[in-house]
Each structure stands twice: as C-alpha cells, then as structure tokens.
Amino acid sequence: MRAESVADLDGKIVLVTGAAGAIGAAIAAAIRAAKGTVIATDLKAGSGIDHALDVTSESDWQRVAAAVESRHGRLDGLVNAAGIATVGNIEKTDFATFKRVVAVNLDGTFLGCKYAFPLLRQKGGSIVNMSSVLGLVGGPNLTAYNASKGGVSLLSKSVALYGARYKPPVRCNALCPAFIAGPMVDEIAGGTKNPDAVKQKLALDIPLGRLGEPEEVASAAVYLLSDAASFITGADVPVDGGLTAR
Ligand SMILES: NC(=O)c1ccc[n+]([C@@H]2O[C@H](COP(=O)([O-])OP(=O)(O)OC[C@H]3O[C@@H](n4cnc5c(N)ncnc54)[C@H](O)[C@@H]3O)[C@@H](O)[C@H]2O)c1
C-alpha cells in the first residue's frame, strides 16, 4: 500500500462554504498550501470568494453545483464550514432564532451533502462537516446550537454509511472543535455581562489551557480530506484541547 502524505491534496478540487469566516478561510488557505484547488463560497462573492452561496438556499446549491459540474465535472472534497451561533436556554430561545440556527447549521449541511454528493461520487471523495464539541455534549445556554450541531454529527454518520457503498467511497466525517479564537467566540462572549471573564473561563475549561486557533482546525480538515485518512469515515473528530476527554 502507498504511503500517503497527510498534507497532500495535489489535484483535488474542494468546495468550502463559509470561506470568508475565521475557520473557513483558514481551511481554504491550508487546502491551497497542500496544493489543492479551492472553490470558495460564502454569502457574498468577491475578495477571494468564487461563488455567493447562502447554504440555506436550495436554489443556490443547485446553481453552484451546476457551475462546478460544467467547469470541473466532479468534486474531490466538500467542507461545510458555514455556521452561526446563538446563546440562549430553552426558555429564552425564541422559535424564530432556533429555526434560523438549525437552518444555517443543519439544513445548510444537509443541502451541501445532498447537492455535492453526485459530484463527489464520480471518483470518490471526502466530506468534512463542521460540527462542534457542542454537537457531542450539551450546555444549558446553547439550546439551538446544541440541537443543530448534534444533528450535523449524526447526519455525517448517515452520509458516511451511504457513501461507503460507492467504490471508491465518499467518506464523511464531522470535525468537533472546542472554542476557537475568532468572531464566533467574540460574539458568544459579547452577549454576556463580562466578555473577557467569559473568554478566560472558556480557555480555563480546556485542559490545554487556551482557545484553539483556526489553523489547528484547518490542519485536521486537510488530513480528513487527504488520502492519508482513507480508512476514516463516520467519525466525530474532536479538535478540542482535551475538553471532551473528561
Ligand atoms: N469558532 C468556534 O469556536 C467554533 C467551534 C466549534 C465549531 N465551530 C463551527 O465552525 C464553523 C465556522 O465557524 P467560524 O468560527 O469560522 O465562524 P465565523 O463567524 O468566523 O464564520 C462563519 C462564516 O459562515 C458564513 N455564513 C453564515 N451564514 C451563512 C449562510 N446562510 N450561508 C453561507 N455562509 C454563511 C459567514 O458569512 C461567515 O463567513 C461554524 O459551523 C461553527 O459553528 C466554530
């Protein structure tokens, strides 16, 4: 069997959603550094974003999938990195907010897997869905986010089992980061009375004693996209400084 390099995406074409965000941009940069071709998407096109793609819009997915098909004929990878977070317990979360978080995080990931799948099964491929440690464990103030990310983790297992039927297979895994420095953590902390204290507490909760960096999520994504991860599918992969080890 050939030894595959972990950071080798030479010749692979990978679509990334949420590519203007902290983690999505780091993943796009890491794919390019590994010699892969990135199709970058986010809500607005321009400045490094190839296609405007609202992940909640079925017609946007159909349009972008058709454009990828006519230009490349296939995909080798998909990273569903678009996402939003809100803070709120079961009593305080209004239904509209719940539905919006689930629409972006879970419906968006479903639509991405669904419309990219026919392109991925051409030659086999790898899907990386951005779940979270909060897709594995709950928090009292994270009702909508927990529900959406728990859905992403189990959706990924279903897609993985279906994709395993193809030869070569379409693999699908969920990345489960803990708190990563960037706008999302700033927003969660900003919604509290003492943002700095909250950020400090989040870091102290992590056994490695700090928040993660987007590049640390990106290197795990590149690994899962690469042929070095050829026997890994249907997994929740924590990138969490040990948070879920206890
Ligand atoms: N930052 C963290 O601590 C953390 C931890 C675990 C998981 N995650 C997950 O990682 C992913 C990326 O998070 P991030 O920290 O880069 O957040 P971010 O806020 O920096 O970026 C999110 C990106 O998603 C885009 N987006 C939002 N709604 C969209 C929609 N409807 N259609 C298309 N794009 C949309 C935004 O424009 C933005 O560019 C998210 O799914 C998030 O839930 C983040």
Side-chain angles (χ1 to χ4, degrees), residues 17-24 41-43 53-56 80-85 100 104-105 130-133 145 149 175-185:
T17 71
I23 292 174
T41 72
D42 205 295
L43 283 170
L53 168 64
D54 178 341
V55 295
T56 66
N80 284 306
I84 57 173
R100 180 73 195 146
V104 177
N105 295 357
M130 207 51 64
S131 179
S132 166
V133 290
Y145 195 71
K149 293 299 186 179
L175 269 185
C176 301
F179 315 108
I180 305 298
M184 191 169 276
V185 166

Short mmCIF file of all heavy atoms in Angstrom, two decimals, residues 17-24 41-43 53-56 80-85 100 104-105 130-133 145 149 175-185, ligand 1:
data_model
loop_
_atom_site.label_atom_id
_atom_site.label_comp_id
_atom_site.label_asym_id
_atom_site.label_seq_id
_atom_site.Cartn_x
_atom_site.Cartn_y
_atom_site.Cartn_z
N THR A 17 -17.69 26.01 2.13
CA THR A 17 -18.70 27.03 2.45
C THR A 17 -18.19 27.84 3.66
O THR A 17 -17.30 27.40 4.38
CB THR A 17 -20.07 26.41 2.81
OG1 THR A 17 -19.99 25.76 4.10
CG2 THR A 17 -20.53 25.41 1.76
N GLY A 18 -18.75 29.03 3.83
CA GLY A 18 -18.32 29.88 4.95
C GLY A 18 -16.84 30.23 4.84
O GLY A 18 -16.16 30.42 5.85
N ALA A 19 -16.35 30.35 3.59
CA ALA A 19 -14.90 30.51 3.37
C ALA A 19 -14.39 31.90 3.72
O ALA A 19 -13.18 32.13 3.70
CB ALA A 19 -14.54 30.15 1.92
N ALA A 20 -15.31 32.83 4.03
CA ALA A 20 -14.86 34.15 4.49
C ALA A 20 -14.73 34.19 6.01
O ALA A 20 -14.21 35.16 6.56
CB ALA A 20 -15.85 35.22 4.03
N GLY A 21 -15.16 33.16 6.69
CA GLY A 21 -15.10 33.13 8.15
C GLY A 21 -13.73 32.72 8.66
O GLY A 21 -12.84 32.34 7.87
N ALA A 22 -13.55 32.79 9.97
CA ALA A 22 -12.24 32.51 10.57
C ALA A 22 -11.77 31.10 10.22
O ALA A 22 -10.65 30.90 9.70
CB ALA A 22 -12.33 32.69 12.09
N ILE A 23 -12.62 30.11 10.45
CA ILE A 23 -12.22 28.71 10.21
C ILE A 23 -12.25 28.38 8.72
O ILE A 23 -11.32 27.77 8.19
CB ILE A 23 -13.11 27.75 11.03
CG1 ILE A 23 -12.81 27.93 12.53
CG2 ILE A 23 -12.90 26.31 10.60
CD1 ILE A 23 -13.74 27.15 13.46
N GLY A 24 -13.31 28.83 8.02
CA GLY A 24 -13.41 28.56 6.58
C GLY A 24 -12.23 29.13 5.82
O GLY A 24 -11.67 28.46 4.93
N THR A 41 -16.81 29.61 -1.20
CA THR A 41 -18.16 30.18 -1.24
C THR A 41 -18.48 30.82 0.12
O THR A 41 -17.97 30.41 1.16
CB THR A 41 -19.24 29.11 -1.53
OG1 THR A 41 -19.40 28.26 -0.38
CG2 THR A 41 -18.88 28.26 -2.74
N ASP A 42 -19.30 31.86 0.07
CA ASP A 42 -19.84 32.47 1.30
C ASP A 42 -21.05 33.30 0.87
O ASP A 42 -21.45 33.23 -0.30
CB ASP A 42 -18.77 33.33 2.01
CG ASP A 42 -19.04 33.46 3.51
OD1 ASP A 42 -20.06 34.07 3.89
OD2 ASP A 42 -18.25 32.93 4.32
N LEU A 43 -21.62 34.04 1.81
CA LEU A 43 -22.85 34.76 1.48
C LEU A 43 -22.66 35.73 0.32
O LEU A 43 -23.55 35.93 -0.49
CB LEU A 43 -23.35 35.52 2.72
CG LEU A 43 -24.03 34.65 3.78
CD1 LEU A 43 -24.27 35.44 5.07
CD2 LEU A 43 -25.35 34.09 3.25
N LEU A 53 -23.06 31.92 -2.05
CA LEU A 53 -23.86 30.70 -1.77
C LEU A 53 -24.40 30.81 -0.36
O LEU A 53 -23.66 30.71 0.63
CB LEU A 53 -22.97 29.45 -1.90
CG LEU A 53 -23.54 28.13 -1.37
CD1 LEU A 53 -24.78 27.71 -2.16
CD2 LEU A 53 -22.50 27.02 -1.45
N ASP A 54 -25.73 31.08 -0.27
CA ASP A 54 -26.39 31.02 1.03
C ASP A 54 -26.72 29.54 1.26
O ASP A 54 -27.53 28.97 0.51
CB ASP A 54 -27.68 31.87 0.99
CG ASP A 54 -28.45 31.81 2.30
OD1 ASP A 54 -28.23 30.87 3.11
OD2 ASP A 54 -29.30 32.69 2.52
N VAL A 55 -26.10 28.93 2.26
CA VAL A 55 -26.23 27.48 2.41
C VAL A 55 -27.66 27.03 2.71
O VAL A 55 -27.98 25.86 2.57
CB VAL A 55 -25.27 26.91 3.49
CG1 VAL A 55 -23.82 27.10 3.07
CG2 VAL A 55 -25.54 27.50 4.87
N THR A 56 -28.53 27.97 3.12
CA THR A 56 -29.92 27.60 3.41
C THR A 56 -30.78 27.59 2.15
O THR A 56 -31.95 27.23 2.21
CB THR A 56 -30.56 28.56 4.43
OG1 THR A 56 -30.68 29.86 3.82
CG2 THR A 56 -29.75 28.69 5.70
N ASN A 80 -18.20 21.79 4.78
CA ASN A 80 -19.35 22.61 5.19
C ASN A 80 -18.95 23.39 6.44
O ASN A 80 -19.12 22.91 7.57
CB ASN A 80 -20.56 21.71 5.47
CG ASN A 80 -21.20 21.22 4.19
OD1 ASN A 80 -21.57 22.01 3.32
ND2 ASN A 80 -21.33 19.90 4.05
N ALA A 81 -18.40 24.60 6.22
CA ALA A 81 -17.88 25.38 7.35
C ALA A 81 -18.77 26.56 7.72
O ALA A 81 -18.53 27.21 8.73
CB ALA A 81 -16.46 25.88 7.05
N ALA A 82 -19.80 26.88 6.89
CA ALA A 82 -20.68 27.99 7.24
C ALA A 82 -21.43 27.66 8.52
O ALA A 82 -21.84 26.51 8.72
CB ALA A 82 -21.66 28.26 6.10
N GLY A 83 -21.60 28.63 9.38
CA GLY A 83 -22.35 28.36 10.61
C GLY A 83 -22.57 29.63 11.40
O GLY A 83 -21.89 30.64 11.19
N ILE A 84 -23.57 29.59 12.26
CA ILE A 84 -23.84 30.71 13.17
C ILE A 84 -24.06 30.15 14.57
O ILE A 84 -24.39 28.97 14.73
CB ILE A 84 -25.07 31.55 12.74
CG1 ILE A 84 -26.34 30.67 12.62
CG2 ILE A 84 -24.81 32.28 11.43
CD1 ILE A 84 -27.63 31.48 12.37
N ALA A 85 -23.88 31.01 15.57
CA ALA A 85 -24.07 30.58 16.96
C ALA A 85 -24.95 31.59 17.69
O ALA A 85 -24.89 32.79 17.40
CB ALA A 85 -22.73 30.47 17.66
N ARG A 100 -33.64 29.54 12.74
CA ARG A 100 -32.57 30.16 11.94
C ARG A 100 -31.24 29.41 12.15
O ARG A 100 -30.52 29.12 11.20
CB ARG A 100 -32.43 31.64 12.34
CG ARG A 100 -31.36 32.38 11.60
CD ARG A 100 -31.77 32.66 10.14
NE ARG A 100 -30.61 33.05 9.36
CZ ARG A 100 -30.42 32.75 8.07
NH1 ARG A 100 -31.32 32.06 7.41
NH2 ARG A 100 -29.35 33.14 7.44
N VAL A 104 -29.24 27.30 9.16
CA VAL A 104 -27.87 27.52 8.64
C VAL A 104 -26.99 26.31 8.95
O VAL A 104 -26.32 25.76 8.06
CB VAL A 104 -27.25 28.81 9.24
CG1 VAL A 104 -25.81 28.97 8.76
CG2 VAL A 104 -28.08 30.03 8.86
N ASN A 105 -26.99 25.87 10.21
CA ASN A 105 -26.01 24.85 10.60
C ASN A 105 -26.38 23.44 10.13
O ASN A 105 -25.51 22.70 9.67
CB ASN A 105 -25.86 24.83 12.13
CG ASN A 105 -25.27 26.14 12.66
OD1 ASN A 105 -24.92 27.03 11.90
ND2 ASN A 105 -25.17 26.25 13.98
N MET A 130 -18.57 20.72 9.64
CA MET A 130 -18.15 21.38 10.86
C MET A 130 -19.23 21.20 11.92
O MET A 130 -20.25 21.89 11.92
CB MET A 130 -17.91 22.86 10.56
CG MET A 130 -16.91 23.52 11.46
SD MET A 130 -15.34 22.67 11.59
CE MET A 130 -14.80 22.82 9.92
N SER A 131 -18.99 20.23 12.80
CA SER A 131 -19.84 20.11 13.99
C SER A 131 -19.15 20.92 15.08
O SER A 131 -18.63 22.02 14.81
CB SER A 131 -19.99 18.63 14.38
OG SER A 131 -20.79 18.50 15.53
N SER A 132 -19.06 20.41 16.28
CA SER A 132 -18.50 21.16 17.41
C SER A 132 -18.44 20.21 18.60
O SER A 132 -19.16 19.20 18.61
CB SER A 132 -19.45 22.34 17.74
OG SER A 132 -19.15 22.92 18.99
N VAL A 133 -17.64 20.54 19.59
CA VAL A 133 -17.78 19.78 20.85
C VAL A 133 -19.22 19.91 21.35
O VAL A 133 -19.73 19.02 22.04
CB VAL A 133 -16.79 20.26 21.95
CG1 VAL A 133 -15.36 19.88 21.63
CG2 VAL A 133 -16.92 21.75 22.21
N TYR A 145 -27.92 25.91 19.28
CA TYR A 145 -26.62 25.49 18.74
C TYR A 145 -26.38 24.00 19.00
O TYR A 145 -25.98 23.27 18.10
CB TYR A 145 -25.51 26.35 19.37
CG TYR A 145 -24.18 26.27 18.64
CD1 TYR A 145 -23.99 26.85 17.39
CD2 TYR A 145 -23.09 25.62 19.22
CE1 TYR A 145 -22.77 26.78 16.73
CE2 TYR A 145 -21.86 25.54 18.56
CZ TYR A 145 -21.71 26.12 17.32
OH TYR A 145 -20.49 26.04 16.67
N LYS A 149 -25.86 21.24 16.02
CA LYS A 149 -24.57 20.54 15.85
C LYS A 149 -24.71 19.04 16.17
O LYS A 149 -24.01 18.22 15.57
CB LYS A 149 -23.49 21.20 16.71
CG LYS A 149 -23.13 22.60 16.26
CD LYS A 149 -22.58 22.62 14.83
CE LYS A 149 -22.10 24.00 14.44
NZ LYS A 149 -21.55 24.04 13.07
N LEU A 175 -15.96 17.35 12.10
CA LEU A 175 -14.91 17.92 12.96
C LEU A 175 -15.60 18.59 14.14
O LEU A 175 -16.60 19.30 13.96
CB LEU A 175 -14.11 18.97 12.20
CG LEU A 175 -12.87 18.53 11.45
CD1 LEU A 175 -12.16 19.76 10.86
CD2 LEU A 175 -11.92 17.76 12.36
N CYS A 176 -15.07 18.35 15.33
CA CYS A 176 -15.70 18.87 16.55
C CYS A 176 -14.74 19.76 17.33
O CYS A 176 -14.14 19.32 18.32
CB CYS A 176 -16.17 17.70 17.41
SG CYS A 176 -17.34 16.62 16.56
N PRO A 177 -14.58 21.02 16.88
CA PRO A 177 -13.67 21.91 17.61
C PRO A 177 -14.30 22.40 18.91
O PRO A 177 -15.53 22.51 19.04
CB PRO A 177 -13.48 23.10 16.66
CG PRO A 177 -14.08 22.69 15.35
CD PRO A 177 -15.11 21.66 15.67
N ALA A 178 -13.40 22.69 19.88
CA ALA A 178 -13.83 23.46 21.06
C ALA A 178 -13.77 24.93 20.65
O ALA A 178 -13.80 25.24 19.46
CB ALA A 178 -12.91 23.16 22.22
N PHE A 179 -13.68 25.84 21.59
CA PHE A 179 -13.75 27.27 21.30
C PHE A 179 -12.49 27.71 20.56
O PHE A 179 -11.38 27.52 21.03
CB PHE A 179 -13.93 28.05 22.60
CG PHE A 179 -14.98 27.40 23.47
CD1 PHE A 179 -14.63 26.73 24.63
CD2 PHE A 179 -16.31 27.42 23.08
CE1 PHE A 179 -15.59 26.09 25.39
CE2 PHE A 179 -17.27 26.78 23.84
CZ PHE A 179 -16.91 26.12 25.01
N ILE A 180 -12.72 28.29 19.39
CA ILE A 180 -11.63 28.72 18.52
C ILE A 180 -11.63 30.25 18.49
O ILE A 180 -12.70 30.87 18.30
CB ILE A 180 -11.83 28.16 17.08
CG1 ILE A 180 -11.98 26.62 17.11
CG2 ILE A 180 -10.71 28.60 16.16
CD1 ILE A 180 -10.79 25.84 17.64
N ALA A 181 -10.46 30.85 18.65
CA ALA A 181 -10.36 32.31 18.65
C ALA A 181 -10.94 32.86 17.35
O ALA A 181 -10.65 32.35 16.27
CB ALA A 181 -8.89 32.71 18.80
N GLY A 182 -11.77 33.90 17.45
CA GLY A 182 -12.36 34.49 16.24
C GLY A 182 -13.70 35.13 16.55
O GLY A 182 -14.14 35.17 17.70
N PRO A 183 -14.37 35.61 15.49
CA PRO A 183 -15.63 36.36 15.67
C PRO A 183 -16.72 35.59 16.41
O PRO A 183 -17.50 36.19 17.15
CB PRO A 183 -16.08 36.67 14.24
CG PRO A 183 -14.97 36.32 13.34
CD PRO A 183 -13.97 35.50 14.08
N MET A 184 -16.78 34.25 16.20
CA MET A 184 -17.88 33.50 16.81
C MET A 184 -17.77 33.51 18.34
O MET A 184 -18.76 33.75 19.04
CB MET A 184 -17.92 32.07 16.27
CG MET A 184 -19.17 31.33 16.65
SD MET A 184 -19.37 29.76 15.79
CE MET A 184 -20.11 30.27 14.26
N VAL A 185 -16.55 33.26 18.84
CA VAL A 185 -16.35 33.28 20.30
C VAL A 185 -16.53 34.71 20.81
O VAL A 185 -17.14 34.94 21.87
CB VAL A 185 -14.95 32.71 20.67
CG1 VAL A 185 -14.60 33.04 22.11
CG2 VAL A 185 -14.94 31.20 20.46
N1 LIG B 1 -15.36 29.42 16.41
C1 LIG B 1 -15.57 28.41 17.23
O1 LIG B 1 -15.26 28.44 18.42
C2 LIG B 1 -16.18 27.14 16.69
C3 LIG B 1 -16.12 25.98 17.48
C4 LIG B 1 -16.71 24.81 17.01
C5 LIG B 1 -17.33 24.81 15.77
N2 LIG B 1 -17.37 25.95 15.02
C6 LIG B 1 -18.04 25.89 13.74
O2 LIG B 1 -17.11 26.15 12.71
C7 LIG B 1 -17.76 26.80 11.62
C8 LIG B 1 -17.02 28.09 11.27
O3 LIG B 1 -17.01 28.95 12.41
P1 LIG B 1 -16.13 30.28 12.46
O4 LIG B 1 -15.55 30.37 13.81
O5 LIG B 1 -15.25 30.36 11.27
O6 LIG B 1 -17.29 31.37 12.34
P2 LIG B 1 -17.27 32.76 11.57
O7 LIG B 1 -18.41 33.54 12.13
O8 LIG B 1 -15.90 33.37 11.59
O9 LIG B 1 -17.57 32.34 10.06
C9 LIG B 1 -18.79 31.80 9.67
C10 LIG B 1 -18.96 32.08 8.18
O10 LIG B 1 -20.20 31.50 7.77
C11 LIG B 1 -20.82 32.42 6.89
N3 LIG B 1 -22.27 32.21 6.89
C12 LIG B 1 -23.17 32.47 7.87
N4 LIG B 1 -24.40 32.17 7.46
C13 LIG B 1 -24.28 31.69 6.19
C14 LIG B 1 -25.20 31.21 5.22
N5 LIG B 1 -26.52 31.18 5.46
N6 LIG B 1 -24.72 30.79 4.02
C15 LIG B 1 -23.39 30.82 3.76
N7 LIG B 1 -22.47 31.29 4.62
C16 LIG B 1 -22.92 31.71 5.83
C17 LIG B 1 -20.46 33.80 7.40
O11 LIG B 1 -20.60 34.78 6.38
C18 LIG B 1 -19.01 33.58 7.84
O12 LIG B 1 -18.10 33.89 6.80
C19 LIG B 1 -19.20 27.01 12.06
O13 LIG B 1 -20.01 25.95 11.58
C20 LIG B 1 -19.13 26.93 13.56
O14 LIG B 1 -20.34 26.57 14.14
C21 LIG B 1 -16.80 27.11 15.45
#
